Amino acid sequence: MEPEQPAQRFGAHPAALTASAPGRVNLIGEHTDYTGGLVLPMAIPFQTNVEIAHAADGMYTFHSAQFQESRVMPPSDQSPAAGNWSDYSVGVLRELQALGVRPEPFYLTVDGNVPLGSGLSSSASIEVATAMALLQHTGKHLPIPEIALLCQRAENVYVHSPCGIMDQFAITAATAGHALLLNTRDLTYQLLPMNTGELAGCVVVVVNSMVRHTVTAGSEYAQRRRELEAGQQVLRERFGVRDLGEATVEQLLACAGAMSAESLKRCRHVITENGRVREAAEAMTAGDAKRLGELMTAAHASERDDFECSVEEVDFLVDTAVQQAGCFGARLTGGGFGGCTVNLLLAGEADRFTAAIRQAYQERYGITAQTFVCEAAAGAVERAATAGSDVTAGTDVAAGRADQL
């Protein structure tokens, strides 16, 4: 059988002019998505909006309404990353070109309100919204997993940020009112309702520490990933596991002498985090807010102590949150080294909780934290379908059962 050619993977649809993609917050399952593990994110009602129109000047123009900056290039351009917001959109264009897609000249405007550098996936939101807009502009379509993987490649290859697949997949495939339990090895997923049992009376509050993080190839994030992958390789050689997604703590301890202390801690976080995600999915199915909150707080302790990706300000926000009435649990969300916490609490306590957190943080650090009460929002594909824009094919991915995850 001959390899599938790029043109065979796309179908023709009428062009459209707009696309939208949300941000996301990860309830639990951090730094597991590049080692075949489990994650449990939900989309949130921040969004990136992209408008695209045919350009008469024969150029590709990317414009940021937020920064009031433009990047203009000919279709043949092969320039490297510019080191700014435009790289996320240009990277997506590059990956489409690698698949044989040659868009007609366009003027593309990016705007939105996803907080930058906060762990809420502003970069992936730009990537997915750009991909959806370019697919419409070219009259092509791709299924959910391929859109997500294309956007991940854009960030890995062009932006040189070693992110996993969680952000792009969740932002593409999320469904309103649900969290998304994703097996990052095979991209099977399960939608979990956020309104069962005790969870029906809960809200998710995101607290932005205002401490910016930068997830780049030269960052501490990249160093943690190298340490993690070194430990994973030891486990592969010793036990034949595919990745940390199927490794056990017992196997890890048996290999402790063959890896660095740092690799041991990074791998211990990921292996135990996968276990916490499984338990969290069970708690959500049962509507057990107390247990879900306990797992979130335990996950933060593991990020702080084993993955060592938290910072003093974020630890303070988590410690303060869990002392508040009605708060079931709290943790760092996103890549770490700053950014946001995610908090699960009774809906009736949200106003009092946010006021107490903001006051305590201001008194301790002189920083005014941002707080957002969030609902589980629609992903980019659901938004497109609601708007009547058919831009993907095969939008259903085989949903894995909980016992398969």
Side-chain angles (χ1 to χ4, degrees):
M1 182 176 179
E2 292 185 359
E4 186 180 41
Q5 297 302 310
Q8 296 175 298
R9 302 170 61 224
F10 294 88
H13 288 274
L17 297 176
T18 63
S20 174
R24 73 96 190 93
V25 67
N26 191 23
L27 297 175
I28 193 167
E30 217 68 75
H31 296 286
T32 56
D33 64 332
Y34 40 87
T35 52
L38 304 173
V39 293
L40 188 50
M42 71 180 204
I44 55 177
F46 296 97
Q47 63 184 36
T48 299
N49 299 311
V50 168
E51 294 185 356
I52 189 167
H54 289 274
D57 61 3
M59 306 293 280
Y60 293 157
T61 297
F62 298 87
H63 177 75
S64 168
Q66 184 174 6
F67 294 108
Q68 285 298 298
E69 296 175 349
S70 295
R71 183 172 174 184
V72 184
M73 60 185 66
S76 60
D77 178 82
Q78 291 298 315
S79 60
N84 63 22
W85 61 270
S86 67
D87 292 339
Y88 301 107
S89 290
V90 175
V92 169
L93 171 64
R94 291 280 190 272
E95 291 303 320
L96 283 170
Q97 289 172 326
L99 292 176
V101 179
R102 299 290 182 264
E104 293 295 317
F106 58 77
Y107 190 100
L108 183 148
T109 300
V110 179
D111 197 4
N113 61 2
V114 184
L116 303 176
S118 62
L120 300 180
S121 297
S122 58
S123 59
S125 183
I126 292 171
E127 290 157 3
V128 173
T130 298
M132 300 290 283
L134 286 173
L135 287 170
Q136 293 179 71
H137 178 71
T138 55
K140 310 297 184 182
H141 57 215
L142 284 174
I144 283 174
E146 293 196 41
I147 295 172
L149 288 167
L150 182 148
C151 292
Q152 183 198 16
R153 290 196 303 273
E155 192 151 345
N156 292 167
V157 176
Y158 191 73
V159 184
H160 302 297
S161 174
C163 67
I165 188 62
M166 173 181 66
D167 296 354
Q168 292 83 0
F169 198 97
I171 287 170
T172 305
T175 295
H178 295 74
L180 189 150
L181 175 63
L182 173 67
N183 184 325
T184 64
R185 182 189 297 120
D186 58 14
L187 302 187
T188 55
Y189 70 96
Q190 181 179 4
L191 296 171
L192 301 177
M194 298 288 291
N195 59 354
T196 56
E198 295 175 352
L199 288 174
C202 293
V203 292
V204 170
V205 176
V206 174
V207 179
N208 188 351
S209 71
M210 310 304 289
V211 177
R212 291 281 299 274
H213 72 171
T214 303
V215 183
T216 63
S219 69
E220 292 186 81
Y221 174 98
Q223 177 62 27
R224 299 296 188 278
R225 179 162 180 172
R226 288 191 291 269
E227 292 163 350
L228 185 65
E229 290 173 343
Q232 179 176 250
Q233 185 59 33
V234 172
L235 282 158
R236 281 175 174 158
E237 294 172 356
R238 175 74 177 274
F239 291 104
V241 298
R242 286 176 290 180
D243 47 44
L244 293 178
E246 63 182 24
T248 66
V249 172
E250 291 74 23
Q251 290 172 331
L252 177 65
L253 294 177
C255 296
M259 65 180 69
S260 70
E262 291 76 16
S263 287
L264 178 65
K265 289 196 292 184
R266 311 305 179 237
C267 291
R268 182 168 59 201
H269 163 72
V270 168
I271 294 170
T272 58
E273 185 80 340
N274 284 323
R276 286 186 288 270
V277 176
R278 292 186 183 93
E279 289 190 58
E282 293 173 359
M284 289 187 67
T285 301
D288 189 344
K290 180 175 182 294
R291 181 57 181 154
L292 177 59
E294 291 171 347
L295 290 162
M296 291 169 63
T297 305
H300 178 77
S302 183
E303 287 183 271
R304 180 193 64 211
D305 300 336
D306 275 352
F307 212 81
E308 297 181 293
C309 64
S310 190
V311 295
E312 176 186 341
E313 294 89 344
V314 170
D315 292 339
F316 176 83
L317 287 173
V318 170
D319 293 342
T320 303
V322 296
Q323 296 172 27
Q324 305 303 310
C327 181
F328 293 105
R331 60 177 288 273
L332 167 67
T333 188
F337 309 105
C340 292
T341 64
V342 57
N343 307 265
L344 179 69
L345 64 146
L346 291 171
E349 297 289 344
D351 290 343
R352 190 209 57 77
F353 173 87
T354 56
I357 285 288
R358 287 166 63 90
Q359 180 179 347
Y361 195 58
Q362 178 71 43
E363 291 176 353
R364 178 65 177 270
Y365 294 102
I367 301 173
T368 301
Q370 292 178 329
T371 55
F372 311 101
V373 180
C374 295
E375 60 185 11
V381 168
E382 184 177 12
R383 291 172 185 224
T386 301
S389 180
D390 179 18
V391 296
T392 61
T395 53
D396 291 330
V397 178
R401 302 200 323 263
D403 58 359
Q404 295 174 320
L405 296 170

